[in-house]
Every structure is written in C-alpha cells, then in structure tokens.
Amino acid sequence: MSDPNPNDIWRQIQQAGGMNAYINQQLQANGYLVERRDVDDMSKAELKRYKNELKEEAKEKRRIKQKAWQAYKQKHIVHIGENVYWTDDHAPDKWDLPDAEERAAENELPPLDKAPDLADAIGITIGELRSLAYHRDAATGIHYHRFTIPKRSGKERAIWAPKPRLKAAQHWILHHIVERLPVHGAAHGFLPGRSTVTNAAAHTGSQVILKMDIADFFPTVSVSRVKGIFRKAGYREPIAILLSHLCTEAPREVVTHGDKTYYIAMGPRCLPQGAPTSPGLTNSLCLRMDRRLEGLAKKYGWRYTRYADDLTFSLPLDHKADPHTGAMIGSVTRIVADEGFQIRTDKTRVHRQGGPQQVTGLSVNTPGPPKVPRELKRRVRAQLHNLSQGKPILEGENLAQLEGYIAYIYMVEPELGAKLFAKFAPFRLQAAD
C-alpha cells in the first residue's frame, strides 16, 4: 500500500495535533509502536527480541518523520538562506504598525497573512516561493541574467534581468502591491500618466535650472530598506521578508572554479537594475525625501521634480529674489544624505537663461511645452532624406533605431512626429525585418 500524498499527510498531522502526535499515531496504527518494558528480568532471547522491535520502531519512525517533514515543507517556508532570519510565526510583534491590516486595506493591498497566501496569489507552490526567495552567498545558479549596456560616460552599466519565473512573481508584486503604494506628486519616473515629458514640462520657462544625480540609486536600497517598505504598507515580518527577497538580489561576481561557475555575493541584497519592481519601490521609498525636497524648493521659490535618480530644481522667469543656488545645493545634499543616499557632485549642473536648458533629455528653454533637442530632429530628418535618395543610413544605426527615434519625437511633439512617420512609412517593412 502506497503512502498518502503530502497534502493528505499534512491534513492528518493537523488532525493529530502536531508532528509528534502524528508519528506516534502512525506507529501504533502500523503495529510498530513498542510498549516500553523493564529489561532487568528479561531472558537473553526476550531482550534480543525486544531490541529488534525497538530497532524496527526507530526505522519506521525515521521513515514516517521524513514523509511528515516533506509534507511540512510543502506548506511552510522553513528556511530561505544563510544568515536570513525566518520564522513561520505570524503573531504580531512590536514593529507592526498600529492597525496594520487597516493600512493595507486602505491602499487596496491583497491580504497576505501567511506564506501560502502569497504563493497562492502569485500562482506558485511553497517550494517555488522558497526557491525564488532563497539567498546563498556562493550560488551555482541564480534567478537573473546578467548583461551590460553602455553609459553615456563610456563605462558599462550592469543589468540583472530576472528570469521568467521570478519576473512573473515580480510583476504580480508590482501590479498588486507596489503600484498601490503612495508616492509623491514630484515623482515622474515609471508611473502611469507620467514620463520624461511631464517631468520636463514642470521646468519650462526658467531663469535657472539645477540638476543633481543620486549615486548608485538602486544598489543603495538594501533588502532591509525594501522590507521596511512592505512593513510600512501593513504586512507582518514573515510576508515582508519574502516580498523583499523576491524583489532584491546581491551584487555578484561571476567566478569559474574548475568546471563550475559560481555567483559570489559581494554585498547585501539590494534592488537590481533590471527588475520591474525596482523603480516603483524607490518611488515609494523616496516619498519622505520628495516631501522634504519640495518643501526646500518652495522655501526659496524653486520648483522640484524627480525622475528616478535625477533631481531637477528650477527657478521661474518671474522670480525676482536671490535664487540662493549655493544654499539649495548644500541643503539638497544634506537632505539626500539624511535619507540614506548620496549626491554625485561631479554631475551637479546649473543651467541659466540664455544657454541650453534640458531636463530628462528635452529642451525647456521656452515657456511652451518641452521640445525634442534640435540635434536629434536634424539627425532624423537627415536619415529620412538619405533613405529617400537611396543612400544608406549612418554607420552604427539601423531602421529599427530610426523608427524608435521617430516614436520618441511623436511622444513629445505629436504633430512633427506624425509627419516624420509619414515619411518613414515606405521603409517600415524593412525596419521590421
């Protein structure tokens, strides 16, 4: 007779009142439970028989315990890695927000009381949830693909893109939790209805534009800070730990030893550049910082927006008082540091009226809507002219890139973009090949 499946075993464990009670119940039902007796008056034959019975009981007990443990693991996380504190105890603790469930309900967040709730919501098993959240300092495989893209500085930016299973879990977290968390109105990156265009539009018609960048924006957001976001949202410690592990990964070096490849953690887990949840989590994390920076800006008559790690401040043309530019730079640097980030001082720029003024790649020199820079427009028109004359486009570019440039122009300046698309139409099929 075959053993019952793990779900049935777990149900029996619960009905028995716990693991030990279930094991004793099974030993007795299968005829292996030995009644303990005094061995002093036993004959050698009786003692030998008694010891054999105990051995058989111990062997059967190990078998039942192994099956029970497998059933337990199908319903419980148990462990998610080295130096990671984990408990299946979902009782309230002192770090819970008052009325935590009400806070989550106000934001229309899904109720997730226990790990199986999260696994069921995402559509995976407990074992898959454990695997996706598991941390190893030296791993032979991880749930990310690594590649690099060039920076404007000429250096390489490492992108860690989640593999399909983890990416699907992150998309669920993004759509059902992260996108429902409160963010500040000054945030324009990766939010519905906001873009580089809305970000730039806030700074048209400026006498001074101050641009500052946050250094190592995503890597600075550690797993503990991400867990804090989910705790603040109203989730208890075990769920917050799982969510934070699903959304973070350690920065790693790829090392080959013999015929094996290892991914060695070089620091604590943090937000990966490439995970769909990373931008939204930083928007939520920066809520207080955005409030403080907007308050500072208003104090001196400036406007403020943030697009991911790009901070932009501008002084309207009609502002007559001292701009206090130096005071702004110093105060912004201190506030950002106080919020756990650092300003890249080498990328701080001040653009004054009369010179080129660009915000998130768009020209804002005039009081009207933002414009695509003239250089890009000229480049696209020249490419279209070459195509119409049967000439090749510029070396290093292709038709798909050209179509992307036109789509970008259309997003910013729809009327011009429509005209350019009309000129590009005869070459669209070639771009698709």
Side-chain angles (χ1 to χ4, degrees):
M1 182 177 177
S2 62
D3 289 318
N5 65 50
N7 286 331
D8 291 337
I9 292 175
W10 177 245
R11 190 159 46 248
Q12 292 171 15
I13 291 172
Q14 290 179 305
Q15 291 171 350
M19 191 84 74
N20 291 331
Y22 167 77
I23 292 171
N24 288 333
Q25 188 182 83
Q26 291 298 304
L27 288 171
Q28 186 171 27
N30 297 333
Y32 285 95
L33 188 62
V34 178
E35 181 183 350
R36 269 46 181 179
R37 306 191 298 273
D38 188 353
V39 299
D40 290 343
D41 297 329
M42 288 183 183
S43 66
K44 287 185 178 180
E46 288 174 328
L47 181 60
K48 183 178 180 181
R49 186 166 57 251
Y50 180 60
K51 286 183 177 179
N52 285 336
E53 289 173 351
L54 291 175
K55 286 180 181 177
E56 288 299 313
E57 180 194 82
K59 181 180 177 182
E60 180 67 6
K61 185 174 183 178
R62 287 193 296 271
R63 189 189 73 82
I64 297 171
K65 190 173 183 179
Q66 183 182 28
K67 296 290 184 182
W69 180 243
Q70 290 173 353
Y72 182 90
K73 285 178 68 176
Q74 283 209 0
K75 298 294 182 181
H76 299 78
I77 292 296
V78 182
H79 181 59
I80 56 170
E82 305 143 6
N83 303 315
V84 181
Y85 171 75
W86 169 260
T87 176
D88 276 315
D89 181 7
H90 291 75
D93 62 43
K94 65 178 182 178
W95 303 112
D96 286 333
L97 288 177
D99 304 320
E101 287 78 8
E102 288 79 356
R103 171 74 70 90
E106 285 175 3
N107 291 324
E108 299 182 345
L109 303 184
L112 303 172
D113 296 326
K114 297 182 179 180
D117 298 335
L118 177 59
D120 290 344
I122 295 175
I124 58 179
T125 66
I126 282 289
E128 289 171 326
L129 176 59
R130 183 190 308 113
S131 171
L132 293 176
Y134 206 93
H135 174 79
R136 289 182 178 88
D137 286 337
T140 54
I142 58 174
H143 298 287
Y144 287 85
H145 295 292
R146 183 184 184 277
F147 60 93
T148 60
I149 58 174
K151 294 183 179 180
R152 281 181 294 181
S153 63
K155 297 181 180 179
E156 296 287 319
R157 184 192 304 278
I159 303 295
W160 292 88
K163 295 178 181 178
R165 277 200 315 157
L166 178 58
K167 187 175 183 179
Q170 290 176 344
H171 272 297
W172 185 92
I173 295 170
L174 174 65
H175 297 315
H176 292 85
I177 299 177
V178 176
E179 288 181 346
R180 301 179 183 184
L181 299 177
V183 299
H184 195 272
H188 286 262
F190 312 97
L191 290 167
R194 303 185 195 180
S195 64
T196 56
V197 180
T198 62
N199 185 65
H203 302 283
T204 57
S206 301
Q207 56 178 289
V208 182
I209 291 179
L210 167 63
K211 298 196 292 187
M212 304 176 76
D213 277 15
I214 297 176
D216 299 321
F217 190 46
F218 289 156
T220 300
V221 183
S222 65
V223 65
S224 60
R225 298 179 77 179
V226 177
K227 184 182 75 171
I229 295 172
F230 293 117
R231 290 302 309 260
K232 191 174 181 181
Y235 290 117
R236 300 201 187 280
E237 181 80 358
I239 292 296
I241 290 175
L242 289 173
L243 290 170
S244 64
H245 272 239
L246 290 173
C247 297
T248 59
E249 178 55 271
R252 295 182 182 271
E253 287 290 338
V254 183
V255 176
T256 302
H257 181 71
D259 59 349
K260 281 193 174 183
T261 299
Y262 295 91
Y263 300 86
I264 308 300
M266 306 303 291
R269 296 174 74 92
C270 58
L271 291 180
Q273 182 110 24
T277 42
S278 293
L281 286 167
T282 54
N283 280 337
S284 178
L285 180 67
C286 289
L287 175 60
R288 188 176 70 173
M289 184 182 77
D290 289 335
R291 284 173 178 162
R292 295 179 67 184
L293 291 176
E294 185 181 59
L296 172 69
K298 287 182 176 179
K299 177 182 176 181
Y300 293 111
W302 293 68
R303 301 170 293 195
Y304 163 68
T305 63
R306 179 180 59 81
Y307 192 94
D309 56 351
D310 293 334
L311 312 179
T312 306
F313 302 85
S314 64
L315 201 62
L317 287 170
D318 59 1
H319 186 84
K320 304 301 181 184
D322 185 340
H324 299 284
T325 306
M328 280 289 295
I329 293 173
S331 296
V332 170
T333 302
R334 286 190 292 273
I335 289 173
V336 169
D338 190 41
E339 294 294 331
F341 297 101
Q342 295 295 323
I343 290 293
R344 279 197 60 179
T345 55
D346 61 316
K347 295 191 72 175
T348 296
R349 299 286 186 271
V350 177
H351 301 280
R352 302 189 184 278
Q353 186 182 12
Q357 293 180 332
Q358 290 188 5
V359 175
T360 45
L362 298 174
S363 175
V364 293
N365 283 79
T366 60
K371 297 285 191 292
V372 175
R374 292 176 182 174
E375 296 80 8
L376 179 58
K377 294 176 186 177
R378 282 198 292 263
R379 186 185 189 90
V380 168
R381 287 186 176 114
Q383 297 277 51
L384 290 171
H385 177 74
N386 285 348
L387 287 173
S388 68
Q389 298 297 311
K391 299 178 182 178
I393 62 176
L394 294 177
E395 185 179 352
E397 295 191 1
N398 54 50
L399 291 175
Q401 287 175 313
L402 178 57
E403 185 174 23
Y405 291 144
I406 297 173
Y408 176 68
I409 294 172
Y410 182 82
M411 178 185 74
V412 182
E413 300 181 49
E415 186 175 342
L416 173 60
K419 293 177 181 178
L420 296 175
F421 265 131
K423 293 182 178 180
F424 181 74
F427 314 102
R428 186 182 296 274
L429 290 178
Q430 298 177 47
D433 292 338

